[in-house]
Amino acid sequence: MTHAPDPRRAVPRTDVVLAEPRIAEAVARLGRSLVKGAVVAAQQRARQGEIPPGTVADQALAALPRVATRLRPVLNATGVVLHTNLGRAPLSAAAREALTVAAGTCDVELDLATGARGRRGAEMVEALLAATPGAGGAHVVNNGAAALALVAATFAAGREIVVSRGELVEIGDGFRIPDLVESTGARLREVGTTNRTHLADYERAVGPDTAFVLKVHPSNFRVEGFTSAVGPEELAGLGVPVVVDIGSGLLTRHPLLPDEPDAASMLARGAGLVTASGDKLLGGPQAGLILGDGELVERVRRFPLARAMRVDKLTLAALEATVRGPLPPVRAALDATAPDLRRRAETLAAGLPGATVVDSLSTVGGGGAPGVTLPSAALALPESYGAALRAGDPAVLGRLEGGRCLLDLRAIDPSDDELLARCVRAAVP
Ligand SMILES: *Cc1c(COP(=O)(O)O)cnc(C)c1O
């Protein structure tokens, strides 16, 4: 009687695999824990007979990420330009290069001409002011929610903020603007109704205890029909500052998104301060912008809580490069025309047997412009490609629709088209 060799016997020991030169090099580059995890997983597969025991090191190496993070790059073929689950805005090449400068030691708080301490973020503030007509001051914090919270804490702790009932927005993941603002110790004085609020409603509510009137852009829903709202130009006459949370981070008007508020227009219409996100339609890193009247911004900047919301040098660098540099990918994605997208799709489909080109509708996504759809083009593949493409490297996230897997090209950078084609060819549905 013969016995098949026990596969467990042949599986090399962990310390032996870790001592292999290629594996040792990976440990030096990626750290021991990631590499050891991959080795242990490969040993496990070898014991179960899924792979030959002699290939444990190869399998472990193949499973390792290229850099020491388990975050995996994803090509966004969903047609949603700002996909919250994919980290919202991808950074421009200029912003990525700025990150590599900031990643080392840099003059973030040093005046190299004099050798004395410099003002942190001065270049970034200058860039924001140059790009936002009407802004006398700018301050940057960690995200849009922090921007609004800091403004509320600075001016309204123990006082009242007057806000329309139609603008009490839930921003996502269960977080709500009213709860956020009240957590700073400010009291909300709600006026009007869900669909209609008039100037007289605000007039009745504003009094000696009012710190400011707040307007919040309903950036993720739309109210249609019998509606009315009051603009900042009318609210500016009430004798208290008007703060507008525009959400999206557009600094100036975007012609394709006429209903999306921008900072310059809001300031021109009488807002004292505007708050916004950096990683939505502005197309930069996660950040919160506070723009507007120079004295109001200075009070925000000097308020103690500002120190707890301070952004790091990476954010400062990427934001400055986004504002000064060429149009970021988000803006290129918005501006792409349907015929351009269709041409790209046809070129791709010609090299991909089984793929067809279909019309698609893309959206702006979590960052703003609710209800706006942009005509686009997509590659259509069998539905089973959905999971196969998600498993690839880079992963590709498409949209499952009508029994097919659609790869919408709007949010794909044109320079990634060939990479997308390689991912489709490599996918095993
Ligand atoms: C997105 C959004 C926020 C929150 O901004 P974050 O950058 O996600 O913190 C606040 N207000 C409005 C109107 C928004 O659209």
Side-chain angles (χ1 to χ4, degrees):
M1 206 166 88
T2 57
H3 291 276
D6 181 349
R8 278 166 301 190
R9 285 274 163 76
V11 175
R13 281 183 11 217
T14 309
D15 54 350
V16 173
V17 182
L18 286 172
E20 264 202 43
R22 288 176 306 156
I23 296 279
E25 186 274 327
V27 169
R29 200 162 41 85
L30 300 173
R32 190 176 162 87
S33 100
L34 265 178
V35 179
K36 190 174 172 192
V39 169
V40 169
Q43 287 171 313
Q44 187 63 24
R45 293 184 62 203
R47 276 187 211 104
Q48 287 164 353
E50 291 170 21
I51 58 170
T55 66
V56 164
D58 298 309
Q59 297 282 341
L61 285 169
L64 283 173
R66 278 184 290 270
V67 290
T69 171
R70 292 228 187 168
L71 281 178
R72 289 173 54 206
V74 181
L75 292 179
N76 175 10
T78 59
V80 180
V81 174
L82 289 162
H83 199 297
T84 303
N85 305 138
L86 298 180
R88 289 191 185 154
L91 294 180
S92 65
R96 290 171 200 228
E97 284 176 31
L99 283 177
T100 63
V101 174
T105 42
C106 61
D107 61 345
V108 63
E109 252 181 64
L110 183 78
D111 182 345
L112 282 172
T114 63
R117 181 177 183 154
R119 169 126 170 227
R120 187 184 175 88
E123 291 77 14
M124 190 274 321
V125 166
E126 199 178 280
L128 272 176
L129 295 184
T132 317
H139 182 66
V140 177
V141 291
N142 282 323
N143 53 41
L148 183 56
L150 182 57
V151 168
T154 304
F155 300 107
R159 302 183 67 200
E160 274 184 5
I161 297 171
V162 176
V163 64
S164 163
R165 290 197 169 88
E167 298 175 6
L168 299 173
V169 178
E170 177 167 315
I171 49 182
D173 198 22
F175 287 100
R176 296 170 166 172
I177 295 279
D179 300 341
L180 172 78
V181 168
E182 287 181 323
S183 73
T184 68
R187 292 188 305 278
L188 277 187
R189 177 90 179 256
E190 299 172 18
V191 298
T193 59
T194 309
N195 57 331
R196 286 171 73 83
T197 302
H198 308 284
L199 184 59
D201 295 319
Y202 287 98
E203 280 168 348
R204 271 195 296 277
V206 168
D209 217 21
T210 307
F212 59 82
V213 173
L214 174 64
K215 279 196 67 70
V216 181
H217 176 52
S219 56
N220 51 13
F221 69 101
R222 227 166 43 171
V223 184
E224 279 175 58
F226 188 52
T227 65
S228 80
V230 185
E233 54 280 82
E234 292 173 88
L235 298 174
L238 293 171
V240 293
V242 179
V243 174
V244 184
D245 175 11
I246 60 170
S248 80
L250 280 184
L251 300 181
T252 53
R253 271 186 92 65
H254 191 288
L256 289 179
L257 306 172
D259 296 333
E260 198 57 24
D262 63 280
S265 302
M266 287 299 141
L267 294 174
R269 288 171 60 188
L273 286 177
V274 168
T275 63
S277 297
D279 55 349
K280 295 181 178 173
L281 292 172
L282 185 63
Q286 179 187 302
L289 315 183
I290 302 165
L291 294 156
D293 177 84
E295 277 172 35
L296 294 178
V297 171
E298 193 55 18
R299 281 182 62 189
V300 170
R301 194 177 75 81
R302 299 308 312 169
F303 191 73
L305 195 60
R307 183 61 178 80
M309 299 176 174
R310 186 175 93 163
V311 292
D312 72 338
K313 58 186 176 170
L314 300 176
T315 304
L316 289 174
L319 191 60
E320 183 192 350
T322 301
V323 174
R324 282 197 207 279
L327 274 192
V330 162
R331 300 298 289 271
L334 282 178
D335 294 345
T337 65
D340 278 347
L341 295 165
R342 177 161 269 275
R343 261 191 300 278
R344 284 169 53 198
E346 278 163 1
T347 306
L348 283 172
L352 295 170
T356 56
V357 176
V358 297
D359 290 333
S360 174
L361 284 177
S362 43
T363 57
V364 174
V372 172
T373 51
L374 305 162
S376 183
L379 295 174
L381 294 161
E383 192 174 44
S384 55
Y385 269 86
L389 285 165
R390 283 202 312 278
D393 180 24
V396 177
L397 189 65
R399 197 167 79 230
L400 299 183
E401 199 174 282
R404 294 177 303 185
C405 171
L406 300 187
L407 304 180
D408 188 308
L409 290 185
R410 180 172 293 278
I412 300 280
D413 195 286
S415 68
D416 283 335
D417 280 1
E418 196 36 54
L419 179 60
L420 178 67
R422 279 207 299 279
C423 291
V424 173
R425 277 187 220 106
V428 187

